[in-house]
Amino acid sequence: MEQVIQYFERIDPILAAFYATLFTWGLTAAGAALVFFFKGMNRALLDGMLGFTGGVMVAASFWSLLAPGIEMSEGEGFVKVIPAAVGFLLGALFIFGLDKVLPHLHINFKESEAEGVKTPWHRTTLLTLAITLHNIPEGLAVGVLFGGVAAGFDGATIGGAVALALGIGLQNFPEGFAVAMPLRRQGLSRTKSFMFGQASAMVEPIAAVLGAWAVLTFEPILPYALSFAAGAMIFVVVEEVIPETQRDKYTDIATMGFIGGFIIMMILDVGLG
């Protein structure tokens, strides 16, 4: 792991963010590739994996984004937390706007419950777009953190950025499977199910590069940008991930998956950051 951190310290931060999110995209593809080896998915396993995803995202939002954002803010008392509060709200409002506009369908929901602008698009496309919504703040978070390291802000470290990318990659693996397998059950070929499953993470490298570039170009926005990514991720967890795990009798498994994801992400961030 030390060699990985040293490598990222030597390269351009935008390139580092791009490479890190290629890794997270790759793990999404690896998860989606399981559709070639399994005929179906246990519903309890799906809910557990979705819960794990939520736990990782919540832990990353605090340990990797909000806490460093508050630490590097100027001022004392209430003044010090204002950038984090403002950024968090703006991030949540950003995903809220996308949620209302972008057509999408949660994994465990019926087609009649699709959200966003009404379209004639197939369930396949709507499911993929739902996971794409998850991945926008994840890619943005990685890019912003790498940009903060390059800008020399206290509280932003290469180890923390690598830990964040690793944690997001770990939760992307079950996400890829969670998208590909329902598509397979609907009659799509294994190849098409895989392609749609991995395509949901294509947005991560794009968001990461934009995040790193924004921070390097406008350095004072970093505390706001970190909190923006955190607000976006928390909105996704509360509005998208948790409801997806509460549709059947496996809510306890989903809850324990959430706890496990939170613990793993916390250990990664504290241990490497």
Side-chain angles (χ1 to χ4, degrees), residues 59-224:
S61 296
F62 176 75
W63 296 102
S64 299
L65 301 171
L66 276 176
I70 293 172
E71 181 181 340
M72 65 184 61
S73 297
E74 298 179 355
E76 299 292 338
F78 288 112
V79 174
K80 190 174 181 65
V81 80
I82 287 176
V86 172
F88 191 88
L89 176 62
L90 292 176
L93 290 175
F94 172 70
I95 299 298
F96 173 79
L98 285 181
D99 185 71
K100 296 303 179 185
V101 174
L102 184 69
H104 64 283
L105 177 66
H106 302 312
I107 292 171
N108 288 333
F109 283 46
K110 299 177 182 178
E111 197 160 354
S112 60
E113 298 176 282
E115 299 179 2
V117 176
K118 300 300 180 184
T119 71
W121 295 348
H122 293 297
R123 180 181 177 89
T124 303
T125 305
L126 295 174
L127 283 169
T128 305
L129 288 174
I131 301 298
T132 301
L133 266 179
H134 292 199
N135 292 326
I136 291 174
E138 294 168 7
L140 185 64
V142 173
V144 165
L145 204 49
F146 272 109
V149 173
F153 280 88
D154 293 335
T157 66
I158 284 290
V162 170
L164 178 61
L166 183 57
I168 287 175
L170 287 175
Q171 60 95 26
N172 274 5
F173 181 84
E175 266 193 2
F177 188 43
V179 177
M181 190 54 69
L183 298 180
R184 176 60 181 159
R185 287 206 308 266
Q186 292 172 33
L188 267 70
S189 67
R190 285 185 168 87
T191 300
K192 286 186 177 180
S193 298
F194 165 75
M195 292 303 295
F196 277 104
Q198 62 83 32
S200 62
M202 290 176 63
V203 70
E204 286 192 4
I206 299 171
V209 168
L210 289 175
W213 171 83
V215 169
L216 289 171
T217 305
F218 310 102
E219 290 186 10
I221 73 168
L222 181 60
Y224 295 91

Side-chain angles (χ1 to χ4, degrees), residues 22 36 77 89 98 111 122 128 152 222 233 240-241 250 258 260:
L22 282 183
F36 291 107
L89 176 62
L98 285 181
E111 197 160 354
H122 293 297
T128 305
L222 181 60
M233 283 211 281
E240 308 250 352
V241 178
Y250 302 113
F258 182 99

